[in-house]
């Protein structure tokens, strides 16, 4: 009998934990990401961060902001590396412009977005996220000879798309 | 989590002494229960897997039509034209670009960037500014406070900046009035308003964001009421005086107004908030600004408008041409409720009737209620606040004008945002539905050399250059006459859907428009900002006039906002069309029909700067000739600077 009872209790605990933890956090990530234009990117980014299992929407926004910053830093490093060996003056000019864009994202846009989320004044996070996306686009656009195919296209696209996700999530906090 | 395999046969000898006699009956029950739990567990796993991997379509979900900006870019992937939902949201009207567009970023040089700084609009010497705070007149000085970041040209570290002026135009910077030095405003010394008490003393109520990020209301007052400059401020030692009431979110409670007296002799304030997506204004009564009683009802609420920020509430006279002190009530008086909508970053107002006994207000026209009707300004303009100027008996309006360029440019140039020129506000007796805004008369003192142009005929489809010298600091007052014959002859169209914002701008030719002025235009018109009227005639013969401001060709740079702003403007029979424009480097403030419809925009030309900027009259209509008469003045700088020898 005790085996039945212990089985029952274990099952009940399992169900309860399963539903409350797994169901609710997956559900929040899904419902939040559905409100962004990049569902898969959003879900992937959030799920790969352990904080997402206990985060509210504000916390999810913070996770995305951190991810934008990480991708931006990686892209900035890529740009710096390319600059070291660049010969073509047009390419060099584009890369230098991108340094400015990425410095803005890393030093202005993302810190302001995080600050605004933390201080519960989300409209400034929305604006900064929009700007981050625009900066990434401006960088990509500056490779006039290779539109949408620059040497850092994937970095630019990642930063742009994640910024848009951030903007969407921050809008939910308004 | 231990996963007992429920399909294993359960031992009949479970060691329980009570059950030895019942082993044979229990075995089938045990098996059934085990199978049940086993299936349940399997089912849960299956559910988890399906939920995780199930295909989910991105649904273009918006909280409201003014909401998320994100989807608009992706509907217009290859198209950098203005988006159909109206000006993009965003504190400074930053639009969201589609990835993969083909225009390069603009290399701003110092000449272009330094030109952008205004000559006679209020702005701090550097760094970021946003909402106007606590404007007032006291002991001969106009005071202006503002949200300020002392450390960077982007939002953050917000404190109260301070400046004084004798005439609302020539400002002198003073030290910061309040910083984030208490637990109750550590995360932000946010917006607030001043109230002048019976004995002439001043109190300030402002929102603090606490160390926990909760929005509370705090009381502050001048350290020395005999100091006309009000340099030092003291915070009430037992702040906060108000915390979010039950049912109101800790982040939905900010921007207390100037107080007004009730018929019972108490002071009354209102604070904006929201419940779900309904924007509301809470009401509190107080005798001492320390203890408050919240009224049961709301001043007003409008569903679907979201959070109401920077609520303002004030009386206007239906008959007199002066402003009214905030406590005035009675016959021939209407009250205005204004809210800044967090969701779309625009300021809306509505005119209505206030009931003092129960602290409620109802709009004259519910179809243009707060948040769904008229705006103070159809351009970039937010967080506006009025005050009663007892010096000249007028109600004066301040509004924050953000940037619409990239933050990279703001960081490079070291500053962001200006304030509008203060405007008087009056009830428009002629329409009965609008407020009139007009730059304070003291701005006229900046006028230098003037030039008059009379009866300049502008044929359909033509551009007329105006021979004025410099064109980056200008005051222009223009009147346009149109042939009433042409209006009568024009065929009415059943397509009544013109909207400045969705139109093709000044390049889109119609029978009766567009016509107006091109400012910050270079000689070749490679850059130009049209400020213009566009008339339409409905199939019923009714004429509508729109007042618009077109940024689409305002600059060769791609990283600036290119939207078209504007709205309907009421024009009454017998009125000529009139425009006033203040051009001050990167800001243009334009007033249609004496201030019935106002548009402020930020413009960042790369060529039409310094001596290359010019002004033109234009008429791009197909069936209308227009005659313009105008006066233009060069405008002097206001020499805004720190207060000397403080």
């Amino acid at each position: 009998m005790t085996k039945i009872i212990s089985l029952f209790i274990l099952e009940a605990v399992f169900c309860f934990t399963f539903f409350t933890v797994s169901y609710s956090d997956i559900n929040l990530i899904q419902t939040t990401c559905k409100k962004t234009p990049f569902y898969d990117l959003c879900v992937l980014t959030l799920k790969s961060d352990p904080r997402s299992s206990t985060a509210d929407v504000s916390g999810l926004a913070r996770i995305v902001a951190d991810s934008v910053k990480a991708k931006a830093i990686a892209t900035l490093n890529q740009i710096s590396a390319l600059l070291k060996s660049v010969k073509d003056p047009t390419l060099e000019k584009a890369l230098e412009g991108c340094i400015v864009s990425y410095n803005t994202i890393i030093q202005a846009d993302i810190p302001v977005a995080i600050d605004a989320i933390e201080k519960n004044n989300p409209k400034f996070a929305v604006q900064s996220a929009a700007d981050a996306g625009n900066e990434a686009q401006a960088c990509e656009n500056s490779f006039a000879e290779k539109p949408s195919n620059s040497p850092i296209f994937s970095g630019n696209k990642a930063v742009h798309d994640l910024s848009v996700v951030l903007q969407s999530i921050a809008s939910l906090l308004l | 989590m231990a996963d007992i395999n429920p399909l294993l046969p359960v031992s009949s000898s479970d060691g329980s002494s009570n059950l030895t006699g019942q082993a044979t009956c229990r075995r089938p029950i045990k098996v059934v229960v085990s199978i049940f739990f086993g299936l349940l567990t399997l089912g849960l796993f299956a559910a988890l897997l399906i939920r995780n991997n199930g295909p989910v379509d991105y649904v273009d979900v918006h909280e409201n039509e003014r909401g998320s900006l994100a989807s608009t870019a992706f509907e217009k992937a290859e198209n950098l034209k203005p988006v159909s939902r109206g000006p993009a949201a965003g504190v400074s009207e930053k639009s969201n670009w589609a990835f993969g567009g083909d225009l390069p970023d603009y290399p701003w040089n110092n000449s272009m960037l330094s030109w952008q700084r205004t000559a006679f609009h209020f702005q701090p010497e550097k760094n970021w500014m946003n909402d106007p705070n606590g404007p007032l007149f006291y002991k001969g000085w106009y005071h202006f406070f503002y949200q300020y970041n002392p450390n960077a040209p982007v939002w953050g570290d917000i404190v109260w900046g301070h400046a004084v002026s004798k005439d609302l135009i020539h400002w002198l910077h003073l030290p910061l009035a309040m910083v984030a030095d208490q637990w109750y405003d550590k995360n932000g010394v946010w917006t607030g308003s001043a109230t002048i008490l019976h004995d002439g003393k001043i109190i300030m109520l402002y929102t603090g964001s606490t160390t926990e990020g909760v929005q509370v209301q705090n009381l502050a007052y001048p350290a020395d009421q005999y100091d006309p400059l009000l340099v030092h401020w003291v915070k009430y030692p037992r702040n906060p005086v108000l915390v979010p009431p039950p049912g109101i979110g800790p982040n939905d409670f900010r921007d207390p107004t100037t107080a007004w007296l009730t018929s019972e002799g108490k002071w009354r304030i209102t604070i904006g908030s929201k419940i779900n997506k309904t924007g509301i204004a809470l009401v509190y009564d107080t005798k001492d600004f320390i203890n408050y009683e919240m009224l049961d009802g709301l001043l007003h609420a409008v569903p679907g408008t979201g959070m109401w920020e920077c609520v303002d509430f004030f009386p206007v006279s239906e008959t007199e041409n002066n402003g009214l002190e905030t406590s005035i009530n009675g016959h021939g008086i209407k009250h205005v409720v204004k809210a800044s909508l967090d969701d779309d970053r625009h300021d809306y107002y509505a005119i209505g009737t206030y009931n003092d006994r129960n602290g409620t207000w109802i709009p004259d026209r519910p179809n243009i209620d707060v948040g769904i009707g008229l705006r103070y300004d159809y351009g970039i303009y937010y967080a506006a606040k009025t005050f009663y100027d007892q010096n000249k008996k007028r109600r004066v309006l301040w509004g924050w004008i953000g940037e619409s360029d990239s933050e990279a440019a703001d960081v490079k140039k070291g500053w962001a945002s200006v304030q509008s020129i203060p405007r008087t506000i009056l009830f428009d007796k002629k329409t009965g539905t609008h407020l009139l805004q007009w730059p304070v008369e003291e701005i006229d003192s900046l006028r230098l050399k003037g030039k008059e142009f009379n009866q300049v005929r502008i044929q359909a489809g033509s551009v007329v250059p105006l021979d004025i010298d410099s064109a980056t600091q200008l005051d222009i007052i223009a009147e346009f006459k149109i042939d009433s014959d042409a209006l009568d002859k024009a065929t009415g169209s059943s397509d009544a859907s013109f909207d400045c914002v969705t139109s093709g701008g000044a390049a889109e030719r119609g029978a009766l428009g567009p016509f107006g002025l091109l400012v910050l235009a270079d000689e070749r018109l490679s850059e130009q900002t049209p400020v213009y009227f566009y008339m339409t005639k409905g199939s019923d013969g009714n004429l509508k006039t729109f007042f618009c401001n077109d940024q689409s060709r305002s600059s060769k740079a791609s990283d600036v906002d290119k939207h078209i702003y504007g709205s309907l403007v009421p024009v009454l029979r017998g009125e000529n069309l009139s425009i006033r424009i203040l051009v001050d480097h990167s800001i243009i403030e334009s007033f249609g029909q004496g201030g019935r419809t106002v548009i402020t925009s930020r413009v960042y030309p790369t060529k039409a700067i310094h001596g290359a900027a010019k002004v033109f009259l234009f008429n791009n209509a197909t069936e209308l000739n227009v005659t313009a008469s105008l006066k233009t003045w060069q405008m002097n700088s206001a020499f805004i600077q720190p207060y000397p020898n403080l």
Side-chain angles (χ1 to χ4, degrees):
Chain A
M1 182 55 187
T2 46
K3 271 194 183 159
I4 291 282
I5 291 168
S6 51
L7 185 61
F8 180 77
I9 291 168
L10 253 150
E11 193 68 51
V13 169
F14 178 69
C15 287
F16 182 75
T17 315
F18 173 83
F19 278 114
T20 55
V21 176
S22 308
Y23 182 85
S24 63
D25 73 64
I26 284 172
N27 203 32
L28 183 64
I29 292 174
Q30 288 181 341
T31 49
T32 303
C33 289
K34 273 190 214 177
K35 292 172 182 173
T36 76
F38 296 111
Y39 178 81
D40 293 332
L41 174 66
C42 176
V43 170
L44 187 67
T45 304
L46 288 173
K47 279 213 197 149
S48 58
D49 189 311
R51 294 177 288 174
S52 65
S53 58
T54 49
D56 55 8
V57 178
S58 192
L60 296 181
R62 175 60 197 266
I63 292 169
V64 178
D66 288 344
S67 180
V68 176
K69 186 171 181 185
K71 291 263 185 316
I73 290 173
T75 309
L76 180 63
N77 290 337
Q78 222 190 326
I79 297 167
S80 304
L82 285 169
L83 262 172
K84 288 201 181 96
S85 59
V86 70
K87 304 269 194 305
D88 175 355
T90 319
L91 198 58
E92 186 179 6
K93 201 160 165 233
L95 289 169
E96 280 167 359
C98 288
I99 298 266
V100 173
S101 293
Y102 274 87
N103 276 332
T104 304
I105 295 172
I106 294 162
Q107 293 170 21
D109 292 328
I110 295 305
V112 170
I114 290 175
D115 197 25
I117 291 164
E118 272 172 15
K119 295 192 172 144
N120 298 307
N121 204 327
K123 66 177 180 287
F124 294 106
V126 172
Q127 178 224 309
S128 287
D131 193 75
N134 289 345
E135 299 289 355
Q137 162 141 355
C139 166
E140 185 60 31
N141 289 348
S142 65
F143 295 91
E145 290 164 4
K146 293 179 168 222
S148 300
N149 196 22
S150 78
I152 45 168
F153 175 77
S154 64
N156 279 335
K157 177 128 178 72
V159 171
H160 172 274
D161 293 354
L162 270 171
S163 297
V164 172
V165 169
L166 175 59
Q167 188 184 341
S168 306
I169 298 180
S171 296
L172 301 176
L173 299 169
L174 287 173
Chain B
M1 178 140 281
D3 180 16
I4 301 163
N5 186 337
L7 297 177
L8 281 174
V10 179
S11 163
S12 57
S13 59
D14 55 14
S16 169
S17 57
N18 289 350
L19 307 171
T20 41
Q22 299 163 349
T24 41
C25 295
R26 196 156 291 111
R27 185 166 314 193
I29 293 172
K30 280 189 192 175
V31 168
V32 166
V33 167
S34 309
I35 290 170
F36 172 73
F37 281 126
L39 290 172
L40 180 62
T41 310
L42 282 175
L44 289 174
F45 272 121
L48 168 58
L49 288 170
I50 289 169
R51 192 184 314 281
N52 244 354
N53 298 332
V56 180
D57 298 320
Y58 168 58
V59 173
D60 190 353
V61 174
H62 288 290
E63 295 297 291
N64 61 48
E65 65 182 33
R66 291 176 283 260
S68 170
L69 167 48
S71 66
T72 59
F74 298 88
E75 285 156 31
K76 298 195 185 290
E78 297 308 315
N79 186 353
L80 290 174
K81 278 178 68 190
V83 294
S84 60
R85 281 201 182 79
V91 167
S92 50
E93 297 294 298
K94 291 191 164 100
S95 62
N96 197 255
W97 306 340
F99 199 76
D102 58 13
L103 296 176
D105 191 10
Y106 205 81
W108 293 101
N109 64 36
N110 282 331
S111 173
M112 298 165 186
L113 290 179
S114 61
W115 174 88
Q116 291 174 9
R117 211 161 153 89
T118 67
F120 53 89
H121 281 72
F122 180 82
Q123 54 181 132
E125 293 177 288
K126 57 178 179 161
N127 289 334
W128 165 278
M129 164 172 67
N130 53 293
D131 304 4
N133 296 156
L136 62 113
F137 179 83
Y138 183 75
K139 290 195 188 315
W141 289 96
Y142 289 97
H143 287 262
F144 180 67
F145 304 87
Y146 54 97
Q147 298 281 277
Y148 180 58
N149 183 348
N151 302 321
V154 293
W155 182 83
D157 296 342
I158 294 296
V159 297
W160 273 38
H162 186 193
V164 288
S165 169
K166 286 280 183 192
D167 63 357
L168 290 171
I169 298 294
H170 296 87
W171 292 93
L172 300 168
H173 297 301
L174 290 177
L176 300 178
M178 291 197 287
V179 297
D181 57 5
Q182 301 297 325
W183 68 269
Y184 49 77
D185 58 19
K186 198 81 187 133
N187 274 331
V189 189
W190 289 349
T191 291
S193 310
T195 303
I196 302 183
L197 308 182
H198 303 296
D199 54 5
K201 290 211 182 69
I202 298 167
I203 61 102
M204 199 74 81
L205 279 175
Y206 72 97
T207 298
S209 184
T210 69
T211 45
E212 304 294 306
V214 177
Q215 292 166 14
V216 298
Q217 315 313 323
N218 302 310
L219 174 64
Y221 36 83
D224 176 6
Q225 55 162 329
Y226 298 106
D227 170 20
L229 297 181
L230 300 176
V231 173
H232 299 291
W233 288 76
V234 167
K235 296 175 185 175
Y236 173 61
R238 287 201 286 282
N239 275 330
V241 293
L242 275 174
V243 298
I248 295 296
N251 308 319
D252 301 331
F253 185 63
R254 55 185 181 271
D255 312 331
T257 62
T258 294
W260 65 94
L261 284 165
T262 67
S263 48
E264 291 177 3
K266 295 186 196 165
W267 290 104
R268 179 168 285 169
I269 61 166
T270 180
I271 302 177
S273 182
K274 66 169 172 160
I275 294 176
N276 296 325
K277 273 294 169 187
T278 296
I280 66 174
L282 303 163
V283 189
Y284 290 86
D285 282 0
T286 180
K287 292 200 175 120
D288 54 7
F289 293 94
I290 293 168
N291 301 293
Y292 295 79
E293 38 172 301
M294 186 168 108
L295 267 57
D296 288 329
L298 304 169
L299 181 71
H300 195 54
V302 180
T305 52
M307 176 70 190
W308 283 11
E309 301 193 289
C310 301
V311 170
D312 198 4
F313 177 75
F314 56 88
V316 287
S317 170
E318 288 179 284
T319 54
E320 306 309 303
N321 288 334
N322 48 270
L324 296 176
E325 204 274 329
T326 316
S327 301
I328 304 272
N329 199 359
H331 195 64
I333 288 173
K334 303 239 84 162
H335 280 78
V336 175
V337 171
K338 167 261 171 188
S340 294
L341 295 197
D342 204 14
D343 285 0
D344 72 3
R345 260 72 88 207
H346 297 313
D347 281 0
Y348 293 83
Y349 74 88
I351 303 171
T353 305
Y354 166 59
N355 180 323
D356 182 74
R357 180 139 359 101
N358 53 25
T360 60
W361 172 95
I362 52 169
D364 285 346
R365 287 171 173 71
N367 63 319
I368 48 169
D369 205 344
V370 180
I372 60 173
L374 300 173
R375 282 165 54 178
Y376 272 151
D377 190 302
Y378 290 88
I380 175 166
Y381 188 89
Y382 195 64
K385 182 180 290 299
T386 66
F387 74 103
Y388 177 64
D389 169 11
Q390 69 272 29
N391 183 36
K392 289 202 173 178
K393 313 252 180 298
R394 53 188 175 178
R395 181 152 293 270
V396 177
L397 173 72
W398 283 94
W400 165 42
I401 317 295
E403 300 291 317
S404 60
D405 63 357
S406 70
E407 266 172 41
D410 296 346
V411 168
K412 195 165 181 195
K413 72 196 189 196
W415 60 272
S417 302
V418 301
Q419 297 290 331
S420 71
I421 295 297
R423 304 170 182 170
T424 53
I425 281 209
L426 286 174
F427 177 75
D428 181 10
K429 289 181 266 188
K430 293 184 191 159
T431 60
T433 52
H434 284 61
L435 294 174
L436 294 173
Q437 300 164 59
W438 198 248
V440 289
E441 59 185 6
E442 288 91 333
I443 189 100
D444 300 357
S445 70
L446 294 180
R447 290 173 173 167
L448 299 168
K449 194 163 72 157
K451 216 163 181 189
E452 217 171 299
F453 303 84
N454 276 316
Q455 315 282 12
V456 179
R457 193 130 172 89
I458 326 168
Q459 310 274 33
S462 65
V463 173
V464 176
L466 291 175
D467 182 21
I468 54 181
D469 296 323
S470 176
T472 56
Q473 290 170 215
L474 287 178
D475 186 358
I476 304 174
I477 295 188
E479 221 178 59
F480 296 86
K481 278 202 187 68
I482 34 192
D483 301 327
S484 48
D485 288 346
L487 289 180
D488 294 337
K489 273 192 230 141
T491 42
S493 158
S494 56
D495 173 26
S497 62
F498 182 86
D499 182 359
C500 299
V501 170
T502 53
S503 72
E508 181 184 302
R509 308 191 67 184
L512 306 174
F515 57 90
L517 289 131
L518 304 175
V519 295
L520 293 178
D522 63 330
E523 198 143 54
R524 291 185 307 120
L525 299 180
S526 67
E527 290 179 336
Q528 51 177 279
T529 302
V531 177
Y532 59 97
F533 290 106
Y534 190 101
M535 302 176 70
T536 61
K537 191 176 191 184
S539 48
D540 54 1
N542 278 336
L543 285 167
K544 277 190 187 163
T545 310
F546 294 84
F547 181 53
C548 318
N549 197 316
D550 177 3
Q551 297 178 113
S552 62
R553 285 169 298 163
S554 60
S555 173
K556 286 222 167 319
S558 61
D559 54 347
V560 298
D561 193 275
K562 298 280 177 75
H563 284 101
I564 302 167
Y565 297 143
S567 172
L568 212 48
V569 58
V571 178
L572 304 177
R573 201 178 307 272
E575 284 182 353
N576 280 328
L577 296 176
S578 69
I579 299 179
R580 181 176 186 180
I581 307 179
L582 292 172
V583 179
D584 185 5
H585 297 262
S586 61
I587 181 171
I588 298 173
E589 291 189 63
S590 42
F591 300 79
Q593 295 310 95
R596 250 176 228 154
T597 298
V598 185
I599 308 172
T600 301
S601 49
R602 300 301 309 278
V603 177
Y604 309 93
T606 64
K607 296 206 154 38
I609 61 176
H610 298 300
K614 311 236 171 282
V615 181
F616 300 79
L617 286 163
F618 82 99
N619 176 3
N620 218 13
T622 55
E623 290 172 28
L624 197 65
N625 293 326
V626 173
T627 307
S629 297
L630 60 152
K631 291 194 178 110
T632 71
W633 294 268
Q634 300 294 329
M635 294 295 268
N636 201 358
S637 164
F639 301 110
I640 296 172
Q641 59 193 279
Y643 194 96
N645 306 320
L646 193 64

